[in-house]
Amino acid sequence: MIWAYPDNYSILLLAAVFVLLYAIYLYRFWKINQKIKVKKRRLVWKMTLRTLYFTLFLIAFAGPSIGNAMKEIKQEGKDIFLAIDLSRSMNAEDIKPSRLQRVKFELKNLVKNFSSDRLGIIIFSSEAFIQCPLTFDQNVIQLHLDGLNSGLVPNAGTDIAAPLKMAYSKFLSDESQEPKSKAVILISDGEDFGNELEETMEQLNQSGIKVFSLGVGTETGSTIPRGSGVVIDQSNNRPAISRLISTNLKKIASQTDGDYFELSEESQEIPQLIDAISKLEGTVMASRTVEASSNKYFYFLLAGLILAIIDSILPVRTLSI
Protein backbone atom coordinates (compact mmCIF):
# COMPACT_ATOMS: atom_id res chain seq x y z
CA MET A 1 0.00 0.00 0.00
CA ILE A 2 1.21 3.49 -0.90
CA TRP A 3 0.22 6.63 0.96
CA ALA A 4 -0.68 9.63 -1.21
CA TYR A 5 -0.37 12.11 1.67
CA PRO A 6 2.12 10.67 4.19
CA ASP A 7 1.87 13.63 6.57
CA ASN A 8 2.92 11.83 9.73
CA TYR A 9 2.85 15.00 11.83
CA SER A 10 -0.82 15.74 11.09
CA ILE A 11 -1.86 12.13 11.58
CA LEU A 12 -0.04 11.89 14.91
CA LEU A 13 -1.55 15.21 15.98
CA LEU A 14 -5.09 14.05 15.21
CA ALA A 15 -4.44 10.74 16.98
CA ALA A 16 -3.11 12.60 20.03
CA VAL A 17 -6.22 14.82 20.14
CA PHE A 18 -8.45 11.73 19.95
CA VAL A 19 -6.52 9.97 22.75
CA LEU A 20 -6.65 13.11 24.90
CA LEU A 21 -10.39 13.57 24.48
CA TYR A 22 -11.08 9.93 25.16
CA ALA A 23 -8.83 9.97 28.21
CA ILE A 24 -10.97 12.82 29.54
CA TYR A 25 -14.07 10.73 28.80
CA LEU A 26 -12.63 7.69 30.65
CA TYR A 27 -11.67 9.84 33.62
CA ARG A 28 -15.23 11.16 33.75
CA PHE A 29 -16.52 7.58 33.55
CA TRP A 30 -14.28 6.53 36.43
CA LYS A 31 -15.57 9.39 38.58
CA ILE A 32 -19.18 8.43 37.80
CA ASN A 33 -18.41 4.77 38.46
CA GLN A 34 -17.45 5.64 42.03
CA LYS A 35 -20.99 6.83 42.70
CA ILE A 36 -23.32 4.76 40.50
CA LYS A 37 -23.31 1.41 38.79
CA VAL A 38 -22.04 1.56 35.20
CA LYS A 39 -22.03 -1.34 32.73
CA LYS A 40 -18.39 -1.62 31.75
CA ARG A 41 -19.07 -3.99 28.84
CA ARG A 42 -21.23 -1.41 27.08
CA LEU A 43 -18.60 1.27 27.64
CA VAL A 44 -15.95 -0.99 26.06
CA TRP A 45 -18.25 -1.56 23.06
CA LYS A 46 -18.74 2.21 22.54
CA MET A 47 -15.02 2.88 22.94
CA THR A 48 -14.15 0.15 20.42
CA LEU A 49 -16.67 1.50 17.90
CA ARG A 50 -15.38 5.05 18.15
CA THR A 51 -11.75 3.99 17.98
CA LEU A 52 -12.50 1.95 14.88
CA TYR A 53 -14.16 4.70 12.84
CA PHE A 54 -11.64 7.32 13.95
CA THR A 55 -8.85 5.00 12.77
CA LEU A 56 -10.67 4.66 9.43
CA PHE A 57 -10.82 8.47 9.15
CA LEU A 58 -7.07 8.69 9.75
CA ILE A 59 -6.39 6.06 7.07
CA ALA A 60 -8.61 7.94 4.59
CA PHE A 61 -6.82 11.20 5.46
CA ALA A 62 -3.47 9.59 4.61
CA GLY A 63 -4.72 8.64 1.14
CA PRO A 64 -4.15 4.87 0.81
CA SER A 65 -3.28 3.90 -2.76
CA ILE A 66 -3.67 0.25 -3.72
CA GLY A 67 -2.63 -1.27 -7.04
CA ASN A 68 -0.52 0.19 -9.84
CA ALA A 69 -1.31 1.23 -13.41
CA MET A 70 0.59 2.81 -16.29
CA LYS A 71 -0.62 6.29 -17.23
CA GLU A 72 0.41 8.42 -20.22
CA ILE A 73 1.04 12.09 -19.45
CA LYS A 74 0.94 14.44 -22.44
CA GLN A 75 2.44 17.93 -22.60
CA GLU A 76 0.51 20.11 -24.98
CA GLY A 77 1.55 23.47 -26.39
CA LYS A 78 0.30 26.29 -28.60
CA ASP A 79 1.88 29.11 -30.60
CA ILE A 80 0.62 32.53 -29.50
CA PHE A 81 1.59 35.98 -30.76
CA LEU A 82 0.90 39.01 -28.58
CA ALA A 83 0.17 41.88 -31.00
CA ILE A 84 0.46 45.08 -28.96
CA ASP A 85 -0.62 48.50 -30.16
CA LEU A 86 2.07 51.09 -29.32
CA SER A 87 0.51 54.04 -31.09
CA ARG A 88 0.49 57.34 -29.20
CA SER A 89 -3.19 56.89 -28.26
CA MET A 90 -2.17 54.01 -25.98
CA ASN A 91 -0.72 56.64 -23.64
CA ALA A 92 -4.23 57.94 -22.92
CA GLU A 93 -5.08 57.91 -19.22
CA ASP A 94 -8.72 56.82 -19.18
CA ILE A 95 -7.25 53.69 -17.59
CA LYS A 96 -4.80 54.36 -14.77
CA PRO A 97 -1.89 54.86 -14.87
CA SER A 98 -2.27 54.71 -18.69
CA ARG A 99 -3.57 52.25 -21.26
CA LEU A 100 -0.11 50.98 -22.15
CA GLN A 101 1.17 50.72 -18.58
CA ARG A 102 -1.93 48.78 -17.57
CA VAL A 103 -1.53 46.45 -20.57
CA LYS A 104 2.09 45.75 -19.62
CA PHE A 105 1.07 44.87 -16.07
CA GLU A 106 -1.76 42.57 -17.15
CA LEU A 107 0.30 40.83 -19.86
CA LYS A 108 3.13 40.05 -17.45
CA ASN A 109 0.61 38.12 -15.35
CA LEU A 110 -1.11 36.61 -18.39
CA VAL A 111 2.00 35.00 -19.89
CA LYS A 112 2.68 33.11 -16.66
CA ASN A 113 -0.37 30.98 -17.44
CA PHE A 114 1.16 29.68 -20.68
CA SER A 115 4.54 28.29 -19.63
CA SER A 116 4.20 25.26 -21.94
CA ASP A 117 3.35 27.41 -25.00
CA ARG A 118 5.55 29.33 -27.40
CA LEU A 119 4.92 33.06 -27.12
CA GLY A 120 6.02 35.90 -29.37
CA ILE A 121 5.55 39.68 -29.37
CA ILE A 122 4.60 41.90 -32.31
CA ILE A 123 4.48 45.67 -31.78
CA PHE A 124 2.69 48.00 -34.17
CA SER A 125 1.19 51.35 -35.00
CA SER A 126 1.19 52.28 -38.69
CA GLU A 127 3.73 49.46 -39.20
CA ALA A 128 4.36 46.16 -37.43
CA PHE A 129 7.64 44.79 -36.08
CA ILE A 130 8.71 41.53 -34.46
CA GLN A 131 9.81 42.47 -30.96
CA CYS A 132 10.34 38.88 -29.86
CA PRO A 133 10.07 35.70 -31.98
CA LEU A 134 8.18 32.67 -30.72
CA THR A 135 9.94 31.24 -27.69
CA PHE A 136 9.38 29.09 -24.62
CA ASP A 137 11.61 31.41 -22.57
CA GLN A 138 9.31 33.26 -20.17
CA ASN A 139 12.14 35.46 -18.90
CA VAL A 140 12.76 36.84 -22.39
CA ILE A 141 9.06 37.60 -22.86
CA GLN A 142 8.90 39.38 -19.49
CA LEU A 143 12.00 41.42 -20.36
CA HIS A 144 10.52 42.61 -23.65
CA LEU A 145 7.20 43.48 -21.99
CA ASP A 146 9.05 45.63 -19.48
CA GLY A 147 10.62 47.68 -22.25
CA LEU A 148 7.47 48.48 -24.24
CA ASN A 149 6.82 52.17 -24.96
CA SER A 150 5.24 54.19 -27.74
CA GLY A 151 8.63 55.43 -28.91
CA LEU A 152 9.54 52.01 -30.33
CA VAL A 153 7.35 52.45 -33.42
CA PRO A 154 6.64 55.31 -35.87
CA ASN A 155 3.48 57.19 -34.90
CA ALA A 156 1.68 57.95 -38.13
CA GLY A 157 -1.69 56.41 -37.32
CA THR A 158 -2.68 52.81 -36.63
CA ASP A 159 -3.02 49.90 -39.03
CA ILE A 160 -4.57 46.91 -37.26
CA ALA A 161 -4.08 44.67 -40.29
CA ALA A 162 -0.27 45.08 -40.13
CA PRO A 163 0.40 42.90 -37.03
CA LEU A 164 -2.13 40.30 -38.18
CA LYS A 165 -0.41 40.00 -41.57
CA MET A 166 2.95 39.65 -39.85
CA ALA A 167 1.68 36.95 -37.47
CA TYR A 168 0.15 35.09 -40.41
CA SER A 169 3.46 35.27 -42.30
CA LYS A 170 5.48 34.05 -39.30
CA PHE A 171 3.13 31.16 -38.65
CA LEU A 172 3.39 30.05 -42.29
CA SER A 173 7.19 30.24 -42.29
CA ASP A 174 7.57 28.28 -39.06
CA GLU A 175 10.52 25.95 -39.64
CA SER A 176 9.17 23.21 -37.37
CA GLN A 177 6.29 22.57 -39.81
CA GLU A 178 4.42 20.80 -37.03
CA PRO A 179 0.63 21.17 -36.93
CA LYS A 180 0.15 23.44 -33.92
CA SER A 181 -2.77 25.37 -32.52
CA LYS A 182 -2.09 29.01 -33.44
CA ALA A 183 -3.61 32.18 -32.00
CA VAL A 184 -3.08 35.94 -31.89
CA ILE A 185 -3.96 38.13 -28.92
CA LEU A 186 -4.61 41.56 -30.45
CA ILE A 187 -4.32 44.37 -27.89
CA SER A 188 -5.46 47.80 -29.08
CA ASP A 189 -7.83 50.71 -28.52
CA GLY A 190 -9.38 49.90 -31.90
CA GLU A 191 -8.35 52.94 -33.94
CA ASP A 192 -7.62 51.83 -37.51
CA PHE A 193 -6.49 53.79 -40.54
CA GLY A 194 -5.48 50.81 -42.71
CA ASN A 195 -7.31 49.34 -45.71
CA GLU A 196 -6.27 45.67 -45.88
CA LEU A 197 -8.18 44.28 -42.93
CA GLU A 198 -10.78 42.26 -44.88
CA GLU A 199 -8.17 40.35 -46.90
CA THR A 200 -6.10 39.64 -43.80
CA MET A 201 -9.06 38.30 -41.83
CA GLU A 202 -9.88 35.95 -44.71
CA GLN A 203 -6.34 34.57 -44.72
CA LEU A 204 -6.36 34.02 -40.97
CA ASN A 205 -9.74 32.31 -41.08
CA GLN A 206 -8.71 29.93 -43.86
CA SER A 207 -5.54 29.00 -41.95
CA GLY A 208 -7.41 28.34 -38.70
CA ILE A 209 -5.59 31.11 -36.83
CA LYS A 210 -7.86 32.50 -34.13
CA VAL A 211 -7.66 36.13 -33.06
CA PHE A 212 -8.63 37.10 -29.52
CA SER A 213 -9.11 40.87 -29.33
CA LEU A 214 -8.57 42.87 -26.17
CA GLY A 215 -10.09 46.35 -26.38
CA VAL A 216 -8.26 48.79 -24.13
CA GLY A 217 -9.84 52.07 -23.02
CA THR A 218 -13.29 53.57 -22.58
CA GLU A 219 -15.93 54.95 -24.92
CA THR A 220 -15.73 58.26 -23.06
CA GLY A 221 -12.00 58.41 -23.77
CA SER A 222 -9.43 60.95 -22.65
CA THR A 223 -6.73 63.29 -23.92
CA ILE A 224 -3.34 61.94 -24.96
CA PRO A 225 -0.33 63.21 -23.00
CA ARG A 226 2.68 64.50 -24.95
CA GLY A 227 5.54 66.11 -23.11
CA SER A 228 4.18 68.64 -20.66
CA GLY A 229 0.94 69.03 -22.62
CA VAL A 230 -1.46 66.96 -24.70
CA VAL A 231 -1.81 65.98 -28.35
CA ILE A 232 -3.74 68.62 -30.32
CA ASP A 233 -6.24 67.74 -33.04
CA GLN A 234 -5.00 69.72 -36.04
CA SER A 235 -8.48 69.87 -37.57
CA ASN A 236 -9.93 72.05 -34.80
CA ASN A 237 -6.89 73.04 -32.69
CA ARG A 238 -8.42 71.35 -29.65
CA PRO A 239 -7.03 68.55 -27.48
CA ALA A 240 -7.46 65.21 -29.28
CA ILE A 241 -9.71 62.71 -27.51
CA SER A 242 -8.90 59.03 -27.94
CA ARG A 243 -11.80 56.62 -27.42
CA LEU A 244 -12.12 52.85 -27.48
CA ILE A 245 -13.49 51.77 -30.87
CA SER A 246 -14.55 48.17 -30.39
CA THR A 247 -16.25 47.63 -33.75
CA ASN A 248 -13.20 46.46 -35.68
CA LEU A 249 -11.86 44.41 -32.76
CA LYS A 250 -15.15 42.56 -32.40
CA LYS A 251 -15.33 41.98 -36.15
CA ILE A 252 -11.82 40.50 -36.30
CA ALA A 253 -12.52 38.16 -33.39
CA SER A 254 -15.85 37.06 -34.84
CA GLN A 255 -14.56 36.32 -38.35
CA THR A 256 -11.57 34.31 -37.10
CA ASP A 257 -13.59 32.24 -34.61
CA GLY A 258 -11.95 34.01 -31.68
CA ASP A 259 -13.52 36.24 -29.04
CA TYR A 260 -13.55 39.85 -27.83
CA PHE A 261 -12.66 41.10 -24.35
CA GLU A 262 -12.25 44.51 -22.75
CA LEU A 263 -9.87 46.11 -20.29
CA SER A 264 -10.99 49.27 -18.53
CA GLU A 265 -11.73 50.52 -15.05
CA GLU A 266 -15.26 49.10 -15.29
CA SER A 267 -14.58 45.94 -17.30
CA GLN A 268 -11.59 43.74 -16.50
CA GLU A 269 -11.88 40.59 -18.60
CA ILE A 270 -8.29 39.33 -18.52
CA PRO A 271 -9.31 36.15 -16.59
CA GLN A 272 -11.89 35.37 -19.29
CA LEU A 273 -9.24 35.90 -21.97
CA ILE A 274 -6.86 33.52 -20.20
CA ASP A 275 -9.63 30.95 -19.92
CA ALA A 276 -10.50 31.22 -23.62
CA ILE A 277 -6.87 30.76 -24.70
CA SER A 278 -6.42 27.85 -22.29
CA LYS A 279 -9.37 26.04 -23.87
CA LEU A 280 -7.65 25.94 -27.26
CA GLU A 281 -6.60 22.41 -28.06
CA GLY A 282 -2.80 22.34 -28.03
CA THR A 283 -0.43 20.11 -29.96
CA VAL A 284 1.22 17.25 -28.09
CA MET A 285 4.79 18.45 -27.62
CA ALA A 286 5.96 15.48 -25.54
CA SER A 287 4.55 12.49 -23.70
CA ARG A 288 5.79 10.09 -21.07
CA THR A 289 4.41 7.04 -19.31
CA VAL A 290 4.48 6.91 -15.53
CA GLU A 291 3.42 4.34 -12.98
CA ALA A 292 0.39 5.63 -11.11
CA SER A 293 -1.48 4.21 -8.15
CA SER A 294 -5.17 4.56 -7.42
CA ASN A 295 -6.17 6.46 -4.26
CA LYS A 296 -8.73 4.35 -2.36
CA TYR A 297 -9.43 6.82 0.46
CA PHE A 298 -13.17 6.85 -0.34
CA TYR A 299 -13.78 3.30 0.86
CA PHE A 300 -12.17 3.94 4.25
CA LEU A 301 -13.99 7.27 4.57
CA LEU A 302 -17.34 5.66 3.71
CA ALA A 303 -16.84 2.86 6.23
CA GLY A 304 -15.90 5.37 8.93
CA LEU A 305 -18.94 7.53 8.18
CA ILE A 306 -21.28 4.52 8.41
CA LEU A 307 -19.87 3.57 11.82
CA ALA A 308 -20.07 7.19 13.00
CA ILE A 309 -23.73 7.36 11.95
CA ILE A 310 -24.45 4.10 13.77
CA ASP A 311 -22.77 5.52 16.87
CA SER A 312 -24.91 8.68 16.71
CA ILE A 313 -28.34 7.20 15.96
CA LEU A 314 -27.98 4.02 18.05
CA PRO A 315 -26.32 5.21 21.25
CA VAL A 316 -25.19 2.52 23.65
CA ARG A 317 -26.36 3.23 27.15
CA THR A 318 -23.71 2.78 29.77
CA LEU A 319 -25.90 3.57 32.78
CA SER A 320 -28.50 1.30 34.33
CA ILE A 321 -31.64 3.07 35.42
Side-chain angles (χ1 to χ4, degrees), residues 101-158:
Q101 292 303 317
R102 181 63 175 275
V103 164
K104 289 167 62 174
F105 173 79
E106 296 291 352
L107 287 183
K108 291 183 70 175
N109 292 323
L110 178 144
V111 298
K112 295 176 183 178
N113 293 273
F114 304 103
S115 57
S116 63
D117 302 316
R118 288 201 307 173
L119 301 176
I121 299 176
I122 297 174
I123 57 177
F124 71 97
S125 60
S126 57
E127 300 178 57
F129 305 89
I130 289 288
Q131 181 74 354
C132 178
L134 291 168
T135 178
F136 287 107
D137 194 332
Q138 291 264 321
N139 292 328
V140 171
I141 295 293
Q142 296 282 357
L143 183 64
H144 282 292
L145 289 175
D146 275 331
L148 293 180
N149 64 82
S150 58
L152 294 176
V153 293
N155 274 284
T158 306

Side-chain angles (χ1 to χ4, degrees), residues 23-277:
I24 295 173
Y25 174 79
L26 291 177
Y27 172 75
R28 185 165 170 267
F29 161 73
W30 179 76
K31 296 292 288 184
I32 294 174
N33 190 46
Q34 290 181 326
K35 300 178 181 180
I36 59 177
K37 183 179 179 181
V38 179
K39 294 186 178 180
K40 298 181 180 63
R41 179 189 295 178
R42 293 183 178 180
L43 180 70
V44 170
W45 158 247
K46 176 174 283 193
M47 182 177 178
T48 301
L49 181 65
R50 291 180 176 175
T51 302
L52 180 59
Y53 68 70
F54 187 80
T55 301
L56 290 172
F57 287 154
L58 288 181
I59 294 174
F61 177 78
S65 300
I66 305 171
N68 296 318
M70 303 306 292
K71 183 178 181 180
E72 184 181 13
I73 298 178
K74 297 179 180 180
Q75 181 181 358
E76 297 184 347
K78 300 177 282 290
D79 282 351
I80 304 170
F81 266 118
L82 306 175
I84 306 170
D85 185 354
L86 294 186
S87 60
R88 190 175 292 142
S89 62
M90 290 295 286
N91 293 325
E93 296 177 346
D94 50 352
I95 302 178
K96 301 300 180 182
S98 72
R99 293 175 183 175
L100 181 56
Q101 292 303 317
R102 181 63 175 275
V103 164
K104 289 167 62 174
F105 173 79
E106 296 291 352
L107 287 183
K108 291 183 70 175
N109 292 323
L110 178 144
V111 298
K112 295 176 183 178
N113 293 273
F114 304 103
S115 57
S116 63
D117 302 316
R118 288 201 307 173
L119 301 176
I121 299 176
I122 297 174
I123 57 177
F124 71 97
S125 60
S126 57
E127 300 178 57
F129 305 89
I130 289 288
Q131 181 74 354
C132 178
L134 291 168
T135 178
F136 287 107
D137 194 332
Q138 291 264 321
N139 292 328
V140 171
I141 295 293
Q142 296 282 357
L143 183 64
H144 282 292
L145 289 175
D146 275 331
L148 293 180
N149 64 82
S150 58
L152 294 176
V153 293
N155 274 284
T158 306
D159 183 1
I160 289 182
L164 300 179
K165 289 173 62 177
M166 179 161 286
Y168 173 74
S169 174
K170 294 300 178 182
F171 282 142
L172 288 187
S173 61
D174 184 11
E175 295 180 355
S176 66
Q177 296 300 317
E178 295 179 2
K180 296 188 182 76
S181 182
K182 301 175 176 65
V184 179
I185 301 178
L186 177 63
I187 302 122
S188 175
D189 53 25
E191 293 183 353
D192 181 31
F193 300 95
N195 53 16
E196 299 182 10
L197 188 55
E198 292 293 336
E199 178 185 351
T200 305
M201 286 191 297
E202 183 65 25
Q203 291 174 330
L204 292 169
N205 188 38
Q206 290 180 355
S207 300
I209 301 172
K210 301 179 186 295
V211 179
F212 295 86
S213 301
L214 179 64
V216 184
T218 63
E219 293 182 359
T220 303
S222 74
T223 57
I224 306 169
R226 181 168 64 179
S228 58
V230 296
V231 174
I232 300 298
D233 188 343
Q234 299 299 323
S235 65
N236 56 21
N237 289 325
R238 295 181 179 179
I241 302 296
S242 174
R243 297 178 174 85
L244 170 63
I245 303 174
S246 61
T247 307
N248 282 332
L249 298 175
K250 291 179 179 179
K251 183 178 180 180
I252 294 169
S254 175
Q255 294 195 13
T256 59
D257 200 23
D259 209 342
Y260 172 78
F261 305 91
E262 281 191 11
L263 176 61
S264 66
E265 299 295 349
E266 295 78 22
S267 181
Q268 302 178 30
E269 298 180 342
I270 294 294
Q272 292 90 322
L273 171 60
I274 293 173
D275 185 57
I277 298 292

